[in-house]
């Protein structure tokens, strides 16, 4: 392969090893596909999970898999029938490619499609590579003044956006957010943009809570006390909203997926309220406070990824309604993507959003003929 066509990629092996390797030949474009040069790709918690555990639920790495799905870049070439983008366009990549035929897709819930192809999730190759072939229907043009970094962060913001819209947060509504990681922080920004007040955000890390305050200065923070029970922490958080049950938050957004955090939030939400789990956790939870949820008629809901969010989130970021640039704490070149994932996988490093960038020149004419 020619030098300008080399395709380095971050690959995870079935035995939990990660390597930056030259990928196989670039696939030929088929009808409805585009060839993208990912310029910036974020490291996600799911990438870390695949690295550490080799699976998420039933999604198991059985052969080497290129990771990454939070990405923005340039269109290099388009396949037959593509009219929505052209070579040279700057795009944010929506990583899911549903069948668009099943009843879930037809009713608009294409994020729940059972035949979805999701890049960076086995067996589908991800975006931490120089050349990516993708469905043209799931790339979205970026405004000229929007950066690749902002475009890559559209994906994690879309997760929070799906949660906030599914929770139907109203102006002036009290909200509690559990977890000040990347998803919790973008959910905080979106809750504020939706008019929620007051907002309490919780975490185990004092540093992350301080960071949350830099994003939303009037957010109330609570550091989880590991010496207290889940119920005790929950009641302490609840009192931050006021002394009466009516003042307790009717909406709680749990962004960690950790069992103890979900249970704690069950004691925070107001009776007849909603506990929405955004975070991804273990396959089974055995100690859910079932009778507390039942007697208080608390709705327990979940989200899975997102749908129809890219155009709206791009507008939110471009307009300045939410500012995501400060979420970026570390950057690595594509050739050092393994270092990026290792750093992001260790909480002691204090990272929020780690990005992999690739500014390498590409020979568009040569690549488009492959």
């Amino acid at each position: 392969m020619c030098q300008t066509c080399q395709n380095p990629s971050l690959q995870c092996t079935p035995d939990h090893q990660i390597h930056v390797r030259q990928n196989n030949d670039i696939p030929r474009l088929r009808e409805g596909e585009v060839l993208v040069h990912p310029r910036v790709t974020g490291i996600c918690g799911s990438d870390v999970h695949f690295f550490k555990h080799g699976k998420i639920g039933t999604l198991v790495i059985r052969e080497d898999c290129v990771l990454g799905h939070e990405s923005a870049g340039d269109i290099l070439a388009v396949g037959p029938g593509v009219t929505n983008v052209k070579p040279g366009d700057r795009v944010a990549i929506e990583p899911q490619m549903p069948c668009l035929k099943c009843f879930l897709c037809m009713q608009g819930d294409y994020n729940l499609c059972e035949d979805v192809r999701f890049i960076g999730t086995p067996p589908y190759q991800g975006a931490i590579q120089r050349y990516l072939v993708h469905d043209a229907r799931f790339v979205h043009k970026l405004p000229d003044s929007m950066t690749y970094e902002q475009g890559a962060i559209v994906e994690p913001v879309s997760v929070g956006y799906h949660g906030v819209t599914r929770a139907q947060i109203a102006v002036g509504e009290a909200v509690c957010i559990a977890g000040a990681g990347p998803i919790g922080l973008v959910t905080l920004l979106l809750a504020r943009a939706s008019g929620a007040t007051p907002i309490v955000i919780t975490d185990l890390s004092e540093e992350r809570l301080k960071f949350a305050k830099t994003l939303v200065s009037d957010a109330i923070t609570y550091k989880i006390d590991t010496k207290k029970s889940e119920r005790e922490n929950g009641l302490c958080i609840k009192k931050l909203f006021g002394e009466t049950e009516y003042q307790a938050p009717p909406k709680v957004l749990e962004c960690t997926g950790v069992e103890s955090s979900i249970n704690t939030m069950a004691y925070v939400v107001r009776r007849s309220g909603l506990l929405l789990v955004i975070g991804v956790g273990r396959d089974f939870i055995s100690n859910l406070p079932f009778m507390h949820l039942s007697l208080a008629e608390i709705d327990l809901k979940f989200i899975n990824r997102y749908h129809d969010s890219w155009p709206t989130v791009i507008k939110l970021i471009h307009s300045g309604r939410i500012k995501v640039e400060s979420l970026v704490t570390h950057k690595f070149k594509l050739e050092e993507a393994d270092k990026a994932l290792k750093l992001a996988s260790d909480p002691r490093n204090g990272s929020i959003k780690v990005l992999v960038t690739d500014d390498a020149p590409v020979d568009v004419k040569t690549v488009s003929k492959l």
Side-chain angles (χ1 to χ4, degrees), residues 39-204:
R39 291 289 191 176
V40 177
T41 305
I43 299 292
C44 176
S46 64
D47 299 319
V48 173
H49 208 84
F50 280 126
F51 168 38
K52 292 292 187 180
H53 306 287
K55 68 171 189 173
I56 296 177
T58 58
L59 304 171
V60 182
I61 293 184
R62 303 188 189 281
E63 57 185 25
D64 294 0
C65 182
V66 179
L67 298 176
H69 59 268
E70 304 177 359
S71 196
D74 300 321
I75 299 292
L76 298 179
V78 301
V82 174
T83 59
N84 61 313
V85 290
K86 64 184 183 303
D89 283 345
R90 301 163 63 253
V91 297
I93 300 169
E94 183 173 353
Q96 56 190 354
M97 294 172 284
C99 74
L100 299 180
K101 296 177 182 179
C102 68
F103 80 93
L104 290 164
C105 287
M106 296 302 291
Q107 70 184 26
D109 295 322
Y110 66 82
N111 56 309
L112 304 180
C113 174
E114 293 186 288
D115 291 325
V116 68
R117 293 172 292 150
F118 195 92
I119 64 173
T121 299
Y124 306 108
Q125 303 302 307
I128 304 181
Q129 57 179 321
R130 186 156 294 154
Y131 302 106
L132 174 72
V133 171
H134 199 66
D135 189 321
R137 293 170 294 183
F138 294 94
V139 295
H140 305 266
K141 289 183 183 179
L142 293 173
D144 292 341
S145 58
M146 199 165 162
T147 67
Y148 293 115
E149 291 183 9
Q150 291 172 320
I153 296 174
V154 170
E155 196 279 342
V157 175
S158 287
V159 175
Y161 176 78
H162 188 46
V164 167
T165 54
R166 186 158 162 75
Q168 297 181 324
I169 292 175
V171 174
E173 201 164 43
V175 171
C176 183
I177 297 169
I183 298 301
L185 292 172
V186 298
T187 302
L188 172 67
L189 290 170
L190 290 161
R192 167 55 74 235
S194 300
T197 186
I199 304 174
V200 172
I201 185 166
T202 71
D203 203 275
L204 288 167

Side-chain angles (χ1 to χ4, degrees), residues 3-75:
Q3 181 68 27
T4 55
C5 300
Q6 288 184 353
N7 192 18
S9 60
L10 177 64
Q11 301 188 23
C12 186
T13 66
D15 60 347
H16 306 181
Q17 302 298 312
I18 52 172
H19 307 278
V20 176
R21 294 174 174 166
Q22 289 298 331
N23 205 7
N24 294 328
D25 292 341
I26 302 165
R28 291 184 179 274
L29 289 177
R30 297 176 298 183
E31 184 172 359
E33 293 181 334
V34 293
L35 179 65
V36 186
H37 176 195
R39 291 289 191 176
V40 177
T41 305
I43 299 292
C44 176
S46 64
D47 299 319
V48 173
H49 208 84
F50 280 126
F51 168 38
K52 292 292 187 180
H53 306 287
K55 68 171 189 173
I56 296 177
T58 58
L59 304 171
V60 182
I61 293 184
R62 303 188 189 281
E63 57 185 25
D64 294 0
C65 182
V66 179
L67 298 176
H69 59 268
E70 304 177 359
S71 196
D74 300 321
I75 299 292

Side-chain angles (χ1 to χ4, degrees), residues 263-288:
N263 293 347
T264 297
M265 291 302 115
Y267 294 106
V268 176
V269 64
R270 187 167 77 187
R271 293 171 70 87
S272 83
L274 168 67
L275 172 53
L276 180 74
V277 180
I278 297 175
V280 176
R282 298 187 303 177
D283 290 354
F284 296 96
I285 291 178
S286 57
N287 295 310
L288 194 71

